[in-house]
Amino acid sequence: MQLTGKIVVVTGGASGIGRALCETFHRAGAAKVIVADLDLAGAEAVAASVQGAAFKCDVGQEKDIVHVIEETERQFGPIALFCSNAGIVGGFDPMSVNAGGTSDEPFAKSWAIHVMAHIYAARHLIPRMKARGGGYFLNTISAAGLLSQVGSPAYSTTKHAAVGFAENLAISHKAAGIKVSILCPQGVDTNMLRSIARGPQSSDGDLSPEQVAQDALNGIEQETFVILPHPQVLGYMRNKAENYDRWIAGMAKIQAKMREDYGK
Ligand SMILES: NC(=O)c1ccc[n+]([C@@H]2O[C@H](COP(=O)([O-])OP(=O)(O)OC[C@H]3O[C@@H](n4cnc5c(N)ncnc54)[C@H](O)[C@@H]3O)[C@@H](O)[C@H]2O)c1
């Protein structure tokens, strides 16, 4: 899909990858970029820089997603591309004392933001997109959704679930002209990455959010399902599929090294 003249929504657009997506889509000729974020001041600043519009939105709340969709379409026109990009790091523990954690909180919060948000966007946009013959979802997930995030079971589990939902979304609505891409980088130099301890997500180098946004744009133009800004991830996926036990053993070695480094 070409972005020229299109209406685009980006959740989590106030910062990091979301901000870079807004700027990249604006440069690619989008008619209006809608920046939806919990951080309204940040969203307004990005919206001002791309001549877009801002909405305060908690993506884990269905009513907020409905509000963004209804108001965007009422004020600006049909949404051609909806990017579910907002994300958090919850329950990160480099020592991995217990993958089951100590409370539901990081799992529930990550589930709402990484999974239900994508489901709400589909629930309320699919009928509109079907009626107009198509549309596009770009879901920012992570290489952690294809592989795993050592030290964060809540992140890994919910990002895997997000891949599962995106696959089903793409399969269910391909015949209706609805396209889906998942954006799955490893380390990207953003506030989120800087908020956690340095780990294996950075072992192939951290990319800039601008590079990742350009890869996302290329992927949308080519309509490819999986967008891998770090090409190494494809090799890791192949290794995993080829020999799951060897892959688990390799990841356990990375976990052991992480415990050693943080135990010092
Ligand atoms: N940075 C990385 O290394 C990396 C790697 C792979 C995937 N990702 C994914 O990329 C996406 C963007 O992350 P980022 O690195 O740009 O982080 P970031 O912290 O720079 O930006 C995240 C944005 O999401 C917003 N947000 C958080 N919770 C929200 C909610 N409930 N409702 C609305 N907005 C909310 C924040 O206010 C912020 O503006 C996330 O889904 C993240 O999991 C990041």
Side-chain angles (χ1 to χ4, degrees), residues 9 21 25-26 47 63 80 89 120 125 130 153 155 161 163 204 216 250:
V9 174
L21 288 173
F25 296 150
H26 173 61
K63 66 174 178 25
V89 261
Y120 298 145
L125 268 172
K130 273 187 178 170
Y155 193 82
V163 172
D204 293 314

Side-chain angles (χ1 to χ4, degrees), residues 15 17 37 57-59 85 140-141 155 159 186 188 190 192:
S15 164
I17 297 170
D37 204 292
C57 164
D58 176 351
V59 296
N85 166 80
T140 306
I141 305 185
Y155 193 82
K159 292 291 189 179
Q186 299 189 94
V188 186
T190 67
M192 175 186 284

Side-chain angles (χ1 to χ4, degrees), residues 17-34:
I17 297 170
R19 178 190 184 122
L21 288 173
C22 293
E23 292 165 350
T24 302
F25 296 150
H26 173 61
R27 274 198 306 275
K32 198 57 118 182
V33 178
I34 311 303

Side-chain angles (χ1 to χ4, degrees), residues 88-156:
I88 55 164
V89 261
F92 187 72
D93 170 19
M95 298 302 281
S96 291
V97 175
N98 183 343
T102 53
S103 78
D104 290 352
E105 199 264 345
F107 289 91
K109 206 169 166 197
S110 302
W111 181 259
I113 295 170
H114 296 157
V115 188
M116 291 315 296
H118 300 196
I119 294 172
Y120 298 145
R123 184 175 294 166
H124 296 284
L125 268 172
I126 289 286
R128 291 168 185 258
M129 288 179 171
K130 273 187 178 170
R132 51 191 181 238
Y136 211 117
F137 292 93
L138 171 75
N139 293 347
T140 306
I141 305 185
S142 169
L146 302 165
L147 303 163
S148 199
Q149 176 82 34
V150 175
S152 187
Y155 193 82
S156 302

Side-chain angles (χ1 to χ4, degrees), residues 31-52:
K32 198 57 118 182
V33 178
I34 311 303
V35 192
D37 204 292
L38 261 186
D39 168 12
L40 181 60
E44 284 172 341
V46 175
S49 75
V50 298
Q51 291 142 42

Side-chain angles (χ1 to χ4, degrees), residues 103-228:
S103 78
D104 290 352
E105 199 264 345
F107 289 91
K109 206 169 166 197
S110 302
W111 181 259
I113 295 170
H114 296 157
V115 188
M116 291 315 296
H118 300 196
I119 294 172
Y120 298 145
R123 184 175 294 166
H124 296 284
L125 268 172
I126 289 286
R128 291 168 185 258
M129 288 179 171
K130 273 187 178 170
R132 51 191 181 238
Y136 211 117
F137 292 93
L138 171 75
N139 293 347
T140 306
I141 305 185
S142 169
L146 302 165
L147 303 163
S148 199
Q149 176 82 34
V150 175
S152 187
Y155 193 82
S156 302
T157 305
T158 56
K159 292 291 189 179
H160 272 72
V163 172
F165 179 69
E167 287 174 356
N168 198 277
L169 183 63
I171 294 164
S172 301
H173 302 294
K174 187 173 172 55
I178 293 168
K179 319 266 167 53
V180 183
S181 292
I182 57 172
L183 179 60
C184 297
Q186 299 189 94
V188 186
D189 184 19
T190 67
N191 290 338
M192 175 186 284
L193 189 67
R194 285 178 228 122
S195 75
I196 60 169
R198 197 173 163 77
Q201 64 276 0
S202 296
S203 38
D204 293 314
D206 297 333
L207 297 178
S208 69
E210 291 73 23
Q211 172 66 58
V212 171
Q214 186 56 49
D215 291 340
L217 177 65
N218 296 345
I220 290 167
E221 287 178 349
Q222 290 155 22
E223 300 182 356
T224 44
F225 180 72
V226 188
I227 303 172
L228 298 176

